[in-house]
Amino acid sequence: MKLIKPSHEILSEIDSKTFLKNIELAGRTCYKSEEKITEDSAPKFVKMIMNKHHESVLKHEKITVKFICDRGVTHEFVRHRIASYSQESTRYCNYSKDKYDNQLTFIIPEWTNFLPGDAYCETDDAFLSTLNEENDPSVFWLYSMQVAENNYKKLLKLGWKPEQARSVLPNSLKTEIVVTANLREWRKIFELRTAKAAHPQIRELLTPLLKELQEKV
């Protein structure tokens, strides 16, 4: 099995000037004040309408981001319904094949100290007994991932299809998901998913994205 950290990649071209100009044009259509558009009027206008909570105009611009994360995190993403999603399919991906290095890949939990790379954990009864005695939750997580990989591969060898064998795969399984949302929805996503009350793994994923977008815009 392989362990990796979560990550993101912005797929859209981030052009803040274009974003603001298009938002201004949409917003001024409401007030029929298009004649007031100048080369540098967009930032001030957008700030004004945001202060008035006229956020519907933000829907005219969108950003697409590709995330590599665990499947548990994607269950939180898809609760944001005003977005489009395309996700790696465990029905059609056979992780015992060469293109996946013949192994499963898992996302390292944010609260553990594991490092990225190939990993292996003993799964015999003697080792499990040692885990129970030492009460080490991090190593027990690693043990659980190894058991899942072993069982997944065994089911495939016994004749199950990937869409059947996937039933033993855990939330920690690495997945890739492309998310497209308008700017208003991204504001809501960041508001909810970077808050202190949010799950630590989605905060770990979205906080760096928010910082990057702030730098680009």
Side-chain angles (χ1 to χ4, degrees):
M1 63 179 165
K2 181 183 294 184
L3 305 181
I4 65 171
K5 289 284 190 178
S7 60
H8 73 266
E9 178 187 359
I10 299 173
L11 302 183
S12 299
E13 181 178 349
I14 306 300
D15 184 341
S16 60
K17 289 184 178 180
T18 300
F19 280 4
L20 291 174
K21 285 181 177 295
N22 290 341
I23 292 170
E24 179 187 22
L25 178 59
R28 288 195 182 278
T29 299
C30 300
Y31 306 109
K32 295 312 298 173
S33 61
E34 294 94 336
E35 75 281 358
K36 294 183 179 180
I37 294 176
T38 66
E39 186 61 30
D40 58 356
S41 61
K44 182 178 180 180
F45 177 83
V46 173
K47 183 178 180 179
M48 179 273 293
I49 60 175
M50 293 299 294
N51 288 337
K52 292 185 175 182
H53 304 290
H54 187 182
E55 295 187 2
S56 63
V57 293
L58 297 181
K59 295 179 180 179
H60 294 287
E61 288 293 344
K62 61 181 176 61
I63 295 176
T64 299
V65 182
K66 180 179 181 180
F67 295 99
I68 296 178
C69 57
D70 81 358
R71 295 192 69 86
V73 168
T74 65
H75 298 331
E76 298 196 34
F77 265 127
V78 298
R79 292 178 65 186
H80 296 276
R81 294 175 178 84
I82 309 175
S84 298
Y85 304 97
S86 296
Q87 185 172 0
E88 177 179 339
S89 173
T90 52
R91 285 193 65 194
Y92 303 111
C93 295
N94 185 333
Y95 297 112
S96 69
K97 300 298 184 181
D98 290 341
K99 66 182 297 184
Y100 305 104
D101 295 327
N102 311 110
Q103 62 184 333
L104 297 179
T105 298
F106 300 103
I107 298 295
I108 300 171
E110 184 265 348
W111 50 87
T112 69
N113 294 319
F114 292 117
L115 297 176
D118 292 333
Y120 177 76
C121 187
E122 295 291 343
T123 58
D124 57 29
D125 292 340
F127 185 74
L128 178 59
S129 176
T130 300
L131 286 182
N132 290 333
E133 291 174 0
E134 294 180 353
N135 195 29
D136 186 340
S138 295
V139 179
F140 194 82
W141 172 84
L142 190 67
Y143 165 88
S144 301
M145 298 308 102
Q146 187 66 67
V147 169
E149 179 178 68
N150 293 349
N151 291 341
Y152 175 79
K153 289 182 176 180
K154 182 65 175 179
L155 288 171
L156 292 175
K157 287 183 179 180
L158 291 174
W160 278 22
K161 298 177 181 178
E163 66 179 20
Q164 298 168 321
R166 74 173 184 175
S167 59
V168 299
L169 298 179
N171 274 349
S172 289
L173 181 72
K174 163 263 180 186
T175 189
E176 299 183 15
I177 185 169
V178 176
V179 181
T180 300
N182 62 58
L183 297 188
R184 186 185 186 186
E185 186 64 12
W186 276 118
R187 279 171 60 86
K188 190 63 176 179
I189 291 172
F190 286 128
E191 177 187 348
L192 294 176
R193 305 306 181 183
T194 62
K196 290 183 179 181
H199 192 280
Q201 284 183 293
I202 201 164
R203 287 179 61 193
E204 178 188 23
L205 193 64
L206 285 179
T207 299
L209 172 61
L210 177 58
K211 291 181 179 178
E212 183 177 350
L213 288 173
Q214 288 172 334
E215 291 171 357
K216 288 179 177 292
V217 175

